[in-house]
Amino acid sequence: MTERAVEHAVPDLVTLHVWRTAPAALPRALTRMALDPRRLRATPGVRFGKLLGTGTGTGFGPGDADLTRWAALTVWDSPTAAAGFDDTPVGRAWARIARAAVRVDLRPLTSRGEWSRRRPFGEPAGGRVAGPVLALTRARLRARRAATFWRAVPPVAAALRTAPGLLARFGVGEAPLGWQGTVSVWRDPTDLVAFAYRHPEHRAAITRTPTEGWYAEELFARFEVRGVVGDRAVLGWVDEDVDDRGGWA
């Protein structure tokens, strides 16, 4: 398969691993964030991988950082490769410093834009989904537009907190500060669509995006949530409709 074909191919599985660490483990976590991005990308079976810091989800701004929660978003060649993550150097290193962890298994539904000049989730064709979905937004801010962007964030963040059907939400980001994004999990696709396109604060932000020129690079993707395994509290979960085996009740 050519490099172009690989980029456009839709992966069978994307995983989001999230770890909760103790405040005292911050130096070790920062060391992992410095060393593990390259190791994650070099892991057998990994097509695309990013180590991410997170935010509390209350503001999605520079002061929102949660220094006790870290994440890895990974695109896999196969579910078999993904199943061995816990035994990889990266998986073992984070397990040693984590006091709680969770894994979300995802199937891409739609994806628009690029991340690090790549299309990590291929070109999915959508499809109907009856259960929960995860939305990922990610952008690289233009430095000269960052202040305007951060001033536009609070109304959207406040509206998101009370959005019907929201199960979990938090910010994600890479260094430097201008690399930012959000993760949100919704009970049903209709709840996500209602917030994204009908909520006035969010619609206003969407309308301003092309005219303000906030982003140098952006990506928006939606996924079917196939399972959640581990401690859902790490995600800030607000619903208990998932059984202990990771399936949907």
Side-chain angles (χ1 to χ4, degrees), residues 6 9-17 39-49 72-88 90-91 103-106 108 120-121:
V6 169
V10 179
D12 289 333
L13 180 63
V14 176
T15 60
L16 178 66
H17 286 80
R39 297 170 76 190
L40 178 64
R41 293 192 297 269
T43 299
V46 171
R47 186 185 305 180
F48 179 90
L73 182 74
T74 310
V75 179
W76 298 94
D77 284 334
S78 69
T80 301
F85 176 79
D86 290 342
D87 294 324
T88 66
V90 175
R103 185 190 79 233
V104 186
D105 292 340
L106 304 165
F121 312 118

Side-chain angles (χ1 to χ4, degrees), residues 160-173:
L160 180 61
R161 285 197 296 271
T162 58
L166 182 70
L167 301 177
R169 90 281 188 213
F170 52 92
V172 291

Side-chain angles (χ1 to χ4, degrees), residues 16 57 60 104-107 109-110 129-137 155-171 182-203 206 220-228 232 235-242 248-249:
L16 178 66
F60 298 117
V104 186
D105 292 340
L106 304 165
R107 179 179 69 89
L109 295 172
T110 62
V129 176
V133 292
L134 181 145
L136 169 70
T137 69
V156 179
L160 180 61
R161 285 197 296 271
T162 58
L166 182 70
L167 301 177
R169 90 281 188 213
F170 52 92
T182 62
V183 168
S184 58
V185 185
W186 302 81
R187 183 188 301 276
D188 186 89
T190 58
D191 294 318
L192 170 57
V193 170
F195 177 78
Y197 297 108
R198 299 173 193 162
H199 201 286
E201 284 81 4
H202 194 261
R203 285 190 63 184
I206 292 175
F220 303 91
R222 297 179 187 176
F223 306 83
E224 175 189 9
V225 178
R226 288 187 161 177
V228 179
R232 299 187 302 278
L235 301 172
W237 203 268
V238 297
D239 190 89
E240 297 298 328
D241 285 348
V242 180
W248 297 99

